[in-house]
Amino acid sequence: MQRFYDLEAWKLARELKNEVARIAKRFPTEERYALISQIIRSSRSVTANISEGYGRNNYKETIHFCRIARGSLEETLNHLIDAFDEEYITNEELKILKEKVDVCLKVLNGYIGYLRKNQKNKGKKDDDDL
């Protein structure tokens, strides 16, 4: 039986989340309740929403939570740009992290497309179970 942690989208998001956490540890302590908190929460939200959607075992809800995860990926990228603007990360680090976000988005969009296709192939209503 496959589990959420077997999904490529979740694995890639986990790698990004862990990288973001490592980098955020370098930020100044005055950012603890601002940027650090925001970037950690948004990066964690990606894996959390992918796993929650998977657990719903329902096409419509799984797709919904994957869309939320997609938004959290974009939010994480915004926070990384903020970190660059504040000179907490280098341009090269931002470039590498942006590439990782882009790969996560591509795979997540592929997963959403897969779910939509299977949903349509079932020939049932949007809220049918997987």
Side-chain angles (χ1 to χ4, degrees):
M1 179 174 133
Q2 188 179 27
R3 302 292 302 269
F4 72 85
Y5 49 78
D6 295 318
L7 296 171
E8 191 65 22
W10 186 89
K11 290 177 186 178
L12 291 169
R14 179 183 180 208
E15 289 176 21
L16 177 67
K17 173 193 68 157
N18 290 337
E19 182 68 21
V20 165
R22 279 191 290 279
I23 287 173
K25 289 178 182 175
R26 299 187 339 225
F27 295 0
T29 55
E30 65 264 17
E31 290 285 4
R32 176 171 287 131
Y33 301 108
L35 184 56
I36 294 172
S37 176
Q38 290 289 326
I39 199 168
I40 295 294
R41 287 187 297 138
S42 67
S43 65
R44 287 179 179 174
S45 176
V46 181
T47 53
N49 278 291
I50 293 170
S51 61
E52 183 168 358
Y54 186 88
R56 297 298 176 115
N57 205 34
N58 173 288
Y59 284 111
K60 185 177 180 180
E61 290 185 351
T62 302
I63 292 167
H64 171 75
F65 280 95
C66 285
R67 287 177 177 157
I68 294 170
R70 193 168 53 192
S72 294
L73 273 169
E74 295 288 2
E75 180 183 354
T76 300
L77 178 57
N78 179 73
H79 294 315
L80 290 167
I81 292 167
D82 290 343
F84 170 74
D85 290 346
E86 295 293 328
E87 300 179 356
Y88 302 150
I89 63 174
T90 67
N91 189 47
E92 184 62 25
E93 288 172 315
L94 177 61
K95 180 182 172 189
I96 291 167
L97 289 164
K98 184 186 177 303
E99 288 170 2
K100 289 182 180 192
V101 168
D102 289 346
V103 170
C104 286
L105 284 169
K106 182 178 178 181
V107 173
L108 185 56
N109 283 332
Y111 181 49
I112 292 169
Y114 166 82
L115 292 168
R116 285 183 182 150
K117 180 181 175 185
N118 283 342
Q119 179 183 27
K120 288 179 183 176
N121 287 343
K122 292 264 185 184
K124 298 178 182 180
K125 295 174 10 180
D126 283 350
D127 58 351
D128 284 344
D129 291 340
L130 297 173

